[in-house]
Amino acid sequence: SDSSEAGSRRAPLHLAEAEAVLLLPALEDREDLSRMLPITYNEHGMGEVGEVGEVAATHRLKVMKSLGHLEVDEEILRGVSLRKTLRGFGRVWQFSPSDLPLKEREALWKKSASVKSLAFFISHTWRTAGRWKVLALLLRTSWAFVILCWACCMSMVVCLYALEVLPRPLTAPDVGILGLTLTYHSGPWLLVAHVPSILLGFALAPYFPSLKNDQSFLDVTCIHQEDQALMERGVYGLGGFLARSKKLLILWSQPYAVSFTPEYFWVAMPFALVPQLVAAHFLRRLISQKHRLIESMANFDVDKAECREEFDRKFVMTAIDAWYGSREAFNQYVQGPVRDELLQKRSTQIPSAYFLLLIAAVSAPSFEVFIGFCLDGFPADVLWIRVLSKQIGFFFASQMVTLKILLYLCDRFAMPPSIPHLRAFPRVGGLCDFLQTVLIYLSYIVVDLGSYAVCRRSQGHVWSAALYCSVMLFWAGLLHGCCRRRCV
């Protein structure tokens, strides 16, 4: 047909460096169509598709026959601000559209708007609890705003200290700087305010505009959930949405389990630091899910894939046959090149910004001491030593290093110990797995305590404090610079 010839002359669509072209076979007669659709023909020769009716069948047939490449349908190319989807505790992520009343399903379409391009194409499953997706996306999109909100709140408390609006009734000694025992005054207000300020940042972030383009494809808002014709155009135009997206963001989880993506476990870390050992064990289990996923790709079989509607399944399978030649060829591609590429990038990498957020969440006691030093008028050399050795050297740079080491150990030894004789005793195997976490955590503690001991020794002079600070900043930059290159 003319449309298919025109489609074949179009340039292939690209997503990043991957070709996003999908060819479908032309369907010319009823026999070909019957293999694609559950169609029966009435006495007048009119096709009927289940309970959908002849209009839907005719539309689907036209779509099938006209598609050459999965091209962009400009009329229905829509996006929604990722931050806006997180408003109202991320309600759009909490419920599948099939579980919503009619008015709410119709309102979902109005949340999106026409766009020319997309920053993200979001792939997710309704089997994953919405709260985990909301937490992960909040962290991904709002970490900078949260740190800014935290800094503003801390600054307000410091100003109230300086104006003597807030009292500083507590006194405590600090031993080590220049070999002196220094007594300073402090208040509890930085400690009281730091966690609420972080929570406030997460709560307010969705209501502030993003400085970067965060227009995203989210199926529930960008595909009409009531108008059957628009819904089908959206479903069959998914390739066009993908081709106009800069990044594919997959929110994956094992059925009825928390996802392995970095945001999912990192958002829980500030609230799981006590005990840190439990947080480290939780981290290992989540990373092990990712490793198992990559390993399971060796037995990938597209025929075991599930779709809510049988027609969608047949549509996808036909597309795979046309694109790769056969389903077996597609299975071999996933089991081979795709899995090999993922194995090369198997190590878990966390953006450095997430480390900053975690450090901010636990650094309030250190700031309380330093502000007490400043407001009590301690000498400049004492303040410089405190800043270089403790504030920057240990509580920032050293923590960036030791947390990176903890992440590496949890990733390197994520899988439980393989002891054949213990497979028949799952409880004993679970205990051995936890003991492995204990050894990892003890290694982290040894490194952290060693760094703290060097920090205390460096407080005898400004230059020794500056040397310690420089060394720790060097290692932090080296480790996180390597992480950045791997992520890119």
Side-chain angles (χ1 to χ4, degrees), residues 202-223:
F202 277 119
L204 294 180
Y207 298 93
F208 281 77
S210 176
L211 298 179
K212 297 182 179 180
N213 175 25
D214 68 341
Q215 290 298 316
S216 307
F217 170 82
L218 176 60
D219 52 359
V220 72
T221 60
C222 298
I223 295 179

Side-chain angles (χ1 to χ4, degrees), residues 22-25 27 31-40 48-50 60 64 235-236 302-303 305-323 327:
L22 183 59
L23 298 176
L24 293 177
L27 303 177
E31 184 178 355
D32 291 333
L33 183 60
S34 297
R35 289 197 296 269
M36 284 293 300
L37 302 169
I39 291 181
T40 58
E48 298 178 347
V49 187
R60 291 183 176 185
M64 289 281 196
V235 171
Y236 301 138
V302 70
D303 288 320
E306 298 178 0
C307 288
R308 178 168 292 187
E309 294 190 15
E310 182 61 23
F311 174 81
D312 293 339
R313 175 182 174 83
K314 292 182 177 180
F315 178 86
V316 171
M317 294 302 179
T318 302
I320 289 175
D321 289 338
W323 195 1
R327 299 178 197 177

Side-chain angles (χ1 to χ4, degrees), residues 94-149:
Q94 304 292 346
F95 305 99
S96 169
S98 59
D99 300 327
L100 296 175
L102 175 62
K103 289 185 178 180
E104 290 195 36
R105 289 200 300 270
E106 291 177 341
L108 290 172
W109 173 259
K110 298 178 181 179
K111 294 180 182 293
S112 62
S114 297
V115 295
K116 295 297 182 182
S117 63
L118 295 164
F120 300 103
F121 183 102
I122 303 176
S123 175
H124 70 109
T125 172
W126 291 110
R127 291 185 178 183
T128 300
R131 61 182 177 274
W132 296 115
K133 290 181 277 191
V134 171
L135 287 173
L137 293 172
L138 266 176
L139 183 59
R140 183 183 185 90
T141 62
S142 307
W143 65 265
F145 181 88
V146 172
I147 291 179
L148 178 62
C149 182

Side-chain angles (χ1 to χ4, degrees), residues 65-184:
K65 293 175 68 176
S66 63
L67 282 179
H69 296 79
L70 277 188
E71 56 198 53
V72 178
D73 189 342
E74 299 286 354
E75 294 182 0
I76 62 166
L77 184 62
R78 298 176 70 87
V80 61
S81 170
L82 190 54
R83 276 197 178 184
K84 288 183 179 180
T85 67
L86 303 175
R87 294 178 180 178
F89 300 101
R91 181 171 174 77
V92 299
W93 295 95
Q94 304 292 346
F95 305 99
S96 169
S98 59
D99 300 327
L100 296 175
L102 175 62
K103 289 185 178 180
E104 290 195 36
R105 289 200 300 270
E106 291 177 341
L108 290 172
W109 173 259
K110 298 178 181 179
K111 294 180 182 293
S112 62
S114 297
V115 295
K116 295 297 182 182
S117 63
L118 295 164
F120 300 103
F121 183 102
I122 303 176
S123 175
H124 70 109
T125 172
W126 291 110
R127 291 185 178 183
T128 300
R131 61 182 177 274
W132 296 115
K133 290 181 277 191
V134 171
L135 287 173
L137 293 172
L138 266 176
L139 183 59
R140 183 183 185 90
T141 62
S142 307
W143 65 265
F145 181 88
V146 172
I147 291 179
L148 178 62
C149 182
W150 169 84
C152 290
C153 291
M154 295 297 100
S155 299
M156 289 178 59
V157 173
V158 171
C159 290
L160 293 176
Y161 273 156
L163 295 173
E164 298 184 352
V165 174
L166 292 177
R168 296 188 295 129
L170 305 177
T171 58
D174 185 86
V175 181
I177 297 180
L178 297 176
L180 304 175
T181 299
L182 304 172
T183 301
Y184 63 93

Side-chain angles (χ1 to χ4, degrees), residues 246-258:
K246 294 181 179 179
K247 291 184 180 180
L248 172 63
L249 179 60
I250 302 175
L251 302 178
W252 178 88
S253 70
Q254 289 185 344
Y256 312 109
V258 179

